[in-house]
Every structure is written in C-alpha cells, then in structure tokens.
Amino acid sequence: MPALKHAKLCIIGLGYVGLPLAVEFGKHFPTIGFDTNRNRIDELLAGHDKTLEINDEELGLATQLSYTSNKSHLHECNVYIVTVPTPIDQHNNPDLSPLRSASRLLGEVITQGDVAIFESTVYPGATEEVCIPIIEETSGLTFNKDFYAGYSPERINPGDKEHRVTNILKITAGSTPAIADFVDNLYQKIITAGTHKTSSIRVAEAAKVIENTQRDLNIALVNELALIFNQLDIDTLEVLEAAGTKWNFLPFRPGLVGGHCISVDPYYLTHKAQEIGHHPEVILAGRRINDSMGPYVTDRVIKIMTRRKIHVVDSKVLVLGLAFKENCPDLRNTRVIDIITEFQQYHANVDVYDPWVSKKDAKAEYGISPVSHLVAGTYDAIIIAVGHQQFKEMGVHAIKKLGKSTSILFDVKYIFDKDEVDGRL
C-alpha cells in the first residue's frame, strides 16, 4: 500500500462518474484520467466535457490531472479507481463485460503494493468474486499479499448542480482493515461531506445497490397509484400533494424510470438473490410496473386522440424530451424510447425534440434523428416526456401552438396545471 502523500492515481473510465472524480483528485494528487474512447480524450484535452457535468473552467482547476487512452502510461500509478458502467443485457441480466475488461487492464498494469478501488455499482460479492480473480490471473499477483482492493460506490446524480461529488457523503471499504483506512483517508481529501467506512466490501456493495432499489420501489408505488386513480378519474398529483401535508409522507412522483442506476440496479440485486436460491417478489414487481409506464402513456394518449376522432395511423406526434431525466444530456436506458416505439407500431409519425441531447448519440443509440426546429400547427398530439427547463420556459401556450387546432397535449412530468393540458400521468 502506498503512503497517502505518495499516491499517484488513475481513474479508469471518464464518463459521468469518472470525470468529476478525476477532476477533484487532480486538484490534490498526480492523476491520470484513462478512457478507451480516443474521441473522449481529445475532447477533454481540448478543455470541454460534452456530458456537461464539468464546465470548462472547472476542468482547468485540476492542475495535476492528465488524460490518456494509452494503457502504457498507467504503469506509473499506484492507486487505480474503476468507474466503468455496469449495464444490463436484453434479458435484464447484469452485463459485467466493461468491469471484466477494466479488471484485465488492471491486471496488466498493477504492481506490488498497489490498490484497486471500484466505484461501479454491482451486486454484493462481485468485486471479490469477479474482478479480483481476473486481476490475479492477468497479473500473476496474489490478492491481499501483493495488491489490495477497495470499494467506494459512486453517488453521482447526472444534471444535478447542487449535489456534486464533493458534497455527497461517500461510503468506503477496503479488503483489509489497513486498506479500509487508506481508502477512507484518500476520499476524505476530496469529500467535504465526509465518509462512512463500512466493515467490508460486500457491505458497501449491498448498501449501494439497495439505494436505487428502494427508490425504484417508491416510484413503482406511485406509478401504480397513478394507474388506479386514472381509472377512478382522480388527479394523481392532487392526491399526492394532499397526502404530502403529513410530515413523514415521501414526496415521490409517478413517471418514466430510466437511466443507468434506478432502472438497472434492482436487476443486479435480484440476480444475486436468485443465485443463492431466493426469488425476489417485491423488487421484480416494482420493476414490472416501472417498465410498463411507457406503453401506458402511449395508451392514454391514443385513447384521448380516439375520443377527439384523431386517427392514430399517419398522425404526427411530437415527443418533447429524449434524455432519461431533466436538464442533462444522458440518454442511457431512457424509457422515452418506449413511447416512441409504441407510437411507431401504430404507424404514427413521431418527431422528437430535445435541446439537451446529442443528435449523433441519439442516432447511434436508438436510430432516432431528433428535429432541430419546431413548426407551429404541425402535430396531432404533443407529449411532454422530460421536464427540461426549456420546456417550462416555453410555456403551455407556445407548446400548444405547435399542434393543430384539435391537437392534444399530454404532460408526463406535471409541468403545467391540470386545467392547461388534456392529460397527465
């Protein structure tokens, strides 16, 4: 284990999690930001972050941070922090291929006394059962004798400019008591909110994976309530606001649950549960409800169109927003795509407008080419799918003008009052 003052860091993966971490560590330690995407490295070397998590001025403050896609540059480091994505496959099983690749890379560069710290969200046991054996096999070194491991799960919230990496309390863990202290002390150098050291890597892994599982279930509950209240012709938001007058009522709202965490992490936990012979019921029930909300929105809109005698086939539908959440360009696992796909199956013509997302990324990820300009009087139905600030600022009247005289406006995100729209989730 290196002395803290002699730590030389490498952050592996420079996405929404890795870059903010690299910038903060780069203010205190010699730090290399590594990513296999050469375009990403070139962009950062030019002083710009396309994810918009870090502005150009903030990038310049990390005076000890350098960037590379050349793994030969990593041998000079002694602390490696892995922040690669942990997605799911088409069958909702954990896809650990990015984590396995990062572990093989570590095995090629790690040396005697080095520490590998993982931030990627996984199921309990994954670090020591999947990653460590790969590092041992590739490097020929022995775990907890020649090299050590830590775990400190990320808590980044894309697009959130209030809760940043430094002011969110950090969970830490290490493979030995001494390494646990080292990892904790390392993060204390940048985390002003403080740290919480756990007794083991498995505890830290479990703590992270249930954070988003709990949130997923809470949203699933209000989504199911929305299904019920719609059948009863009761406005869901009005009910939630009334119930929210009690001090301990949790203020969750119904909606589309996408992104790289909330809609993914529960599947990691259920995978491990099933591996040990337990079939989760509540967690998977919540997932089923949340995964069904895109088709449900489409069904609601089509019913309103039918009542207005608007033919769905060959209709023009505008979907406002493609990102998985408001005020960020992150497209990962956006459930807005479910609405788009459902309408396309009805042979409707769907335009997507999102001022935040990259048109190149939308085309590559989903085969969608978002429109750049909106023309008044064009659409039979308009769906506000993401609560971007720009849509709020447009105002309901400007948005309605984009539609035909008989057009309907459906507000998934409760941006406008119920009397101003034709339907809400």
Side-chain angles (χ1 to χ4, degrees):
M1 164 179 76
L4 192 59
K5 63 181 179 179
H6 297 310
K8 295 181 179 180
L9 277 64
C10 172
I11 311 299
I12 299 174
L14 297 176
Y16 286 86
V17 174
L19 181 63
L21 194 69
V23 167
E24 292 305 322
F25 274 125
K27 298 174 184 177
H28 302 273
F29 299 96
T31 303
I32 295 176
F34 174 84
D35 201 289
T36 56
N37 185 339
R38 181 66 209 183
N39 291 333
R40 176 64 165 161
I41 296 299
D42 290 342
E43 165 198 316
L44 295 172
L45 287 171
H48 181 67
D49 169 31
K50 74 172 185 178
T51 71
L52 305 180
E53 288 302 299
I54 302 293
N55 62 42
D56 297 356
E57 182 181 352
E58 289 173 316
L59 282 177
L61 297 176
T63 57
Q64 298 186 68
L65 174 61
S66 61
Y67 306 100
T68 187
S69 60
N70 188 339
K71 65 182 180 182
S72 67
H73 295 164
L74 310 186
H75 290 281
E76 63 192 73
C77 300
N78 50 30
V79 178
Y80 300 90
I81 302 179
V82 177
T83 61
V84 298
T86 44
I88 53 176
D89 63 20
Q90 60 181 342
H91 304 295
N92 294 328
N93 294 315
D95 177 6
L96 296 178
S97 54
L99 204 54
R100 289 191 172 98
S101 295
S103 299
R104 281 190 292 271
L105 171 65
L106 282 174
E108 294 173 7
V109 299
I110 204 165
T111 57
Q112 190 84 25
D114 291 353
V115 180
I117 303 170
F118 292 85
E119 288 216 359
S120 306
T121 303
V122 291
Y123 52 78
T127 299
E128 291 157 300
E129 295 167 9
V130 177
C131 302
I132 298 304
I134 294 174
I135 298 173
E136 285 187 309
E137 181 182 0
T138 308
S139 67
L141 300 177
T142 301
F143 179 47
N144 278 342
K145 176 184 176 185
D146 301 319
F147 74 96
Y148 306 90
Y151 187 77
S152 183
E154 59 90 3
R155 281 176 165 172
I156 294 293
N157 186 24
D160 189 337
K161 301 307 179 184
E162 179 181 353
H163 301 98
R164 310 297 297 274
V165 63
T166 57
N167 63 11
I168 301 174
L169 196 142
K170 203 84 162 70
I171 295 173
T172 65
S175 57
T176 71
I179 295 300
D181 289 340
F182 173 82
V183 173
D184 198 64
N185 291 333
L186 178 68
Y187 279 98
Q188 284 183 16
K189 291 291 185 180
I190 66 167
I191 306 297
T192 57
T195 58
H196 178 90
K197 185 172 61 176
T198 61
S199 63
S200 70
I201 289 175
R202 288 166 61 87
V203 168
E205 290 169 328
K208 169 58 183 177
V209 79
I210 71 164
E211 289 177 11
N212 289 320
T213 299
Q214 181 188 65
R215 184 168 177 80
D216 190 46
L217 286 170
N218 279 314
I219 298 173
L221 172 61
V222 295
N223 273 338
E224 187 164 41
L225 293 175
L227 305 182
I228 296 170
F229 294 145
N230 175 55
Q231 292 294 317
L232 296 173
D233 196 25
I234 298 173
D235 185 75
T236 302
L237 182 60
E238 189 174 355
V239 173
L240 294 174
E241 288 176 339
T245 59
K246 188 180 180 186
W247 75 92
N248 60 352
F249 186 83
L250 300 178
F252 286 91
R253 295 288 184 266
L256 306 173
V257 185
H260 65 294
C261 286
I262 297 178
S263 63
V264 171
D265 295 353
Y267 288 121
Y268 273 73
L269 184 57
T270 57
H271 168 81
K272 189 62 177 181
Q274 289 167 340
E275 191 177 82
I276 61 174
H278 177 78
H279 182 71
E281 297 184 21
V282 175
I283 297 172
L284 289 176
R287 279 283 74 232
R288 285 192 294 272
I289 291 171
N290 287 341
D291 281 346
S292 72
M293 294 310 291
Y296 173 74
V297 168
T298 305
D299 182 66
R300 287 280 309 278
V301 174
I302 288 174
K303 285 180 177 177
I304 299 173
M305 293 174 71
T306 302
R307 288 198 294 269
R308 295 269 184 95
K309 298 183 179 180
I310 301 172
H311 294 291
V312 179
V313 176
D314 293 328
S315 64
K316 288 281 288 183
V317 177
L318 174 63
V319 176
L320 293 176
L322 181 60
F324 90 86
K325 62 175 293 187
E326 65 276 3
N327 305 324
C328 92
D330 196 345
L331 289 172
R332 288 175 294 177
N333 201 32
T334 176
R335 297 308 355 132
V336 178
I337 192 65
D338 297 338
I339 298 175
I340 297 167
T341 301
E342 286 287 311
F343 268 109
Q344 289 173 339
Q345 290 177 353
Y346 282 92
H347 301 288
N349 302 295
V350 183
D351 282 348
V352 179
Y353 176 74
D354 192 317
W356 281 87
V357 307
S358 160
K359 292 179 173 59
K360 180 180 178 182
D361 291 346
K363 185 67 175 178
E365 189 73 21
Y366 299 108
I368 291 173
S369 298
V371 298
S372 300
H373 305 287
L374 298 172
V375 179
T378 301
Y379 298 101
D380 297 292
I382 302 170
I383 302 168
I384 304 172
V386 184
H388 290 320
Q389 185 62 32
Q390 286 93 332
F391 301 152
K392 297 177 182 178
E393 292 172 353
M394 284 177 67
V396 68
H397 298 297
I399 292 175
K400 282 185 173 181
K401 284 182 179 179
L402 299 172
K404 301 173 183 177
S405 59
T406 57
S407 176
I408 71 160
L409 175 60
F410 193 90
D411 186 1
V412 175
K413 298 301 294 183
Y414 298 96
I415 290 179
F416 302 116
D417 291 338
K418 65 178 180 179
D419 295 333
E420 298 178 306
V421 299
D422 300 292
R424 304 198 297 186
L425 188 57

